[in-house]
Amino acid sequence: MGFQRAVVTGGAGFLGSHVCVELVRQGTDVVCVDDFRTSSPRNLGGVLTHDRFEMVIADVAEPLDVRGRVDLVMHLACPASPVDYLRMPVDTMRSGGFGTLHALELARRDNARIVIASTSEVYGDPLEHPQRETYWGNVNPIGPRSVYDEAKRFGEALTQAFHREYAVNTGIVRIFNTYGPRMRAGDGRMIPTFFQQAQAGEPLTVHGDGRQTRSLCYVDDLVRGLLAMAHSDHCGPINLGNPEEVTVLDVAERVIEVTGSRSVVRHVEPMPDDPRRRCPDITLAHRVLDWRPKVSLHDGLRAMAGRVPADIG
Ligand code: NAD
């Protein structure tokens, strides 16, 4: 059975907009709460005027005023790209802290299922590979990136507290790097940056030697995982990501290939606290949610390059 009415915080963002569209497509009424601080209403396209869709422009760090009962809360609102959270460090902590509190209070009010978008960043610069949910992480609590990592860790702790103390039906997902259409050019994340540079014929800037690894999940796979978590009653945390590990240098070269660009790779200074390796162990997601990614990196990058329809997989 589908959900009747869902609140999606951060629903205008990259992941949130795909979630809103999919929920509306499945027949759920959607209330999107977002203040567009790192996004634009354009992401929502035609769904903005759909009769099952309602837009509430609000900061989730302030108490949420959502009228009428909801049976699902998808809490995605938080600046997510390093450019954004380094630009607004305090607001990032407010979104991850107060924002998560308000989303949990809403779920508690209506006895709704709530899924919290946490992140692989809770593992920091991991000392264990691949990362399983049982790993506690290796996070620098006061480095520049800590505003994001620690806000998410706080959000997880708060979510578990609501689960234990008030028996709220919570689910935490730890999302690993995801890419796909509607990522903002210039949002500082690797894939849109590489695409922008390749399409402009500029050098692709790789931090450090480029041998650090990433695991990249195509957005359609991720949204399927998020909704599988919504439909389960597992409290998590559950990793969602693509375990295929690739070096940053390899990603740069593949982007050059799928865009047919003449760009070259240029190595620049390493980023502070940039993790060397990142790779999810998705055994739990497979066992509990029957979920695993289907779209290969090659197909996902080709879809982003506009070479094949985006509805692959
Ligand atoms: P995004 O920046 O595209 O979307 C975030 C959305 O939240 C934006 O629409 C923004 O305007 C909104 N927002 C932020 N703070 C807000 C606030 N205080 N009040 C109201 N709206 C607010 O980022 P995304 O990639 O879509 O990420 C969505 C969620 O998934 C985030 O919580 C992020 O931490 C998590 N996540 C994403 C990835 C990824 O690879 N995309 C990886 C790990 C975790």
Side-chain angles (χ1 to χ4, degrees), residues 119-129 131 135-141 145-146 148-150 152-153 174 176 213-214 273-279:
T119 169
S120 56
E121 301 284 337
V122 299
Y123 299 122
D125 190 359
L127 305 175
E128 209 182 274
H129 298 282
Q131 290 86 53
Y135 179 52
W136 289 356
N138 177 36
V139 176
N140 171 358
R145 298 170 76 110
S146 66
Y148 182 66
D149 307 0
E150 295 292 8
K152 291 291 186 181
R153 289 169 70 98
R174 292 184 178 152
F176 284 64
T213 67
R214 295 292 180 266
D273 300 330
D274 194 22
R276 292 295 304 167
R277 288 185 73 190
R278 207 29 101 48
C279 180

Side-chain angles (χ1 to χ4, degrees), residues 10 12-16 33-39 58-61 76-80 84 95 117-119 148 152 175-178 184 189:
F14 161 51
L15 293 182
V33 182
D34 203 302
D35 62 4
F36 308 122
R37 71 182 58 193
T38 65
S39 61
D59 177 357
V60 292
L76 300 160
C78 186
D84 293 328
S95 303
S118 183
T119 169
Y148 182 66
K152 291 291 186 181
I175 303 170
F176 284 64
N177 285 351
T178 303
R184 263 179 308 139
R189 287 187 269 191

